[in-house]
């Protein structure tokens, strides 16, 4: 299940790990490990990206508490409309929360390729800033592939983005490699 929690900035800076009680957003009895919450409200509502396949699915809610208490429910639809004709033949799911850029929401996701199905690779897509269900563009090639030894040591062929930030024009992608290591990769955002 997917949950949210928070900590005050003061507690975080002073290393007092007093997090709020988690609110479970996804329904009980269902598996939803790749839901991501947009870092700001869109049109005054919380926006949750909960599937990328067969299409980008974003739902809006007034209150996260309404999801936690079951008053509001989100139903994800997952599947493939057949293989895509690109490197990301089978899109799996989003990684970290979307990042707002001047051109739209940057979403990092992992996918597999039909001709290389045993390797998870990371791609990027740009969603419209007003209507994030609309895909503006996708990376033509993976932005990260499991080519290093530490991405193949324990569970071979696996990379997936876990977190991302943009600082001073550089995109920092924190990712898991081989289901054992946590690493960071960087690239200039404009690239």
């Amino acid at each position: 299940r997917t949950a949210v929690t928070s900590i005050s900035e003061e507690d975080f800076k002073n290393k007092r790990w007093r997090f709020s009680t988690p609110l479970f957003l996804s329904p009980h009895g269902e598996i939803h490990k790749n839901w991501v919450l947009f870092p700001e409200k869109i049109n005054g509502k919380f926006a949750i990206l909960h599937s990328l396949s067969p299409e980008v699915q974003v739902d809006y809610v007034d209150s996260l508490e309404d999801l936690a208490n079951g008053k509001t429910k989100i139903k994800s639809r997952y599947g493939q409309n057949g293989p895509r004709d690109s490197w990301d033949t089978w899109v799996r799911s989003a990684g970290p929360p979307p990042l707002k850029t001047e051109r739209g929401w940057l979403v990092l996701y992992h996918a597999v390729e039909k001709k290389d199905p045993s390797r998870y690779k990371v791609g990027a897509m740009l969603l419209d800033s007003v209507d994030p269900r609309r895909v503006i563009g996708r990376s033509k090639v993976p932005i990260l592939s499991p080519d290093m030894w530490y991405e193949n040591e324990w569970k071979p062929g696996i990379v997936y983005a876990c977190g991302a930030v943009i600082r001073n024009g550089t995109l920092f992608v924190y990712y898991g490699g081989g289901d054992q290591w946590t690493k960071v990769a960087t690239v200039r955002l404009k690239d």
Side-chain angles (χ1 to χ4, degrees):
R1 295 181 68 190
T2 301
V4 295
T5 186
S6 63
I7 186 172
S8 73
E9 185 177 349
E10 180 183 336
D11 281 349
F12 181 78
K13 286 181 176 179
N14 290 299
K15 299 182 180 181
R16 292 186 302 256
W17 311 119
R18 296 186 285 210
F19 286 88
S20 65
T21 302
L23 294 175
F24 286 97
L25 304 181
S26 57
H28 179 72
E30 296 181 19
I31 298 173
H32 297 291
K33 63 182 182 174
N34 294 105
W35 285 22
V36 291
L37 186 63
F38 281 76
E40 64 182 58
K41 289 183 175 181
I42 298 175
N43 297 322
K45 295 184 180 242
F46 291 99
I48 299 169
L49 172 62
H50 56 94
S51 185
L52 295 175
S53 186
E55 71 273 335
V56 173
Q57 296 171 52
V58 178
D59 270 80
Y60 301 92
V61 295
D62 292 317
S63 161
L64 296 178
E65 288 79 9
D66 286 349
L67 282 171
N69 64 28
K71 183 178 176 182
T72 302
K73 293 183 180 181
I74 293 175
K75 186 67 177 164
S76 294
R77 191 169 68 86
Y78 179 78
Q80 303 285 347
N81 286 338
R84 292 170 39 80
D85 202 15
S86 60
W87 77 268
D88 54 353
T89 311
W90 303 104
V91 174
R92 302 300 299 162
S93 58
L99 297 168
K100 190 169 191 177
T101 72
E102 62 186 32
R103 295 186 179 182
W105 292 103
L106 176 63
V107 174
L108 302 175
Y109 64 97
H110 52 282
V112 295
E113 193 171 349
K114 186 177 183 177
K115 62 185 176 189
D116 196 11
S118 63
R119 292 168 33 103
Y120 273 42
K121 300 172 186 175
V122 176
M125 70 174 67
L126 198 60
L127 305 178
D128 185 79
S129 59
V130 177
D131 179 7
R133 294 177 185 150
R134 190 171 78 80
V135 177
I136 296 171
R138 292 179 184 261
S139 53
K140 293 182 181 179
V141 296
I143 65 167
L144 185 61
S145 296
D147 299 325
M148 303 301 292
W149 67 267
Y150 49 82
E151 297 159 350
N152 290 282
E153 186 178 51
W154 188 68
K155 188 173 182 184
I158 305 293
V159 291
Y160 52 90
C162 305
V165 295
I166 300 168
R167 304 242 340 151
N168 300 321
T170 299
L171 172 63
F172 292 79
V173 179
Y174 299 89
Y175 72 98
D179 276 1
Q180 180 169 311
W181 300 92
T182 301
K183 298 291 183 177
V184 65
T186 62
V187 66
R188 290 182 315 170
L189 182 60
K190 68 179 184 175
D191 292 343

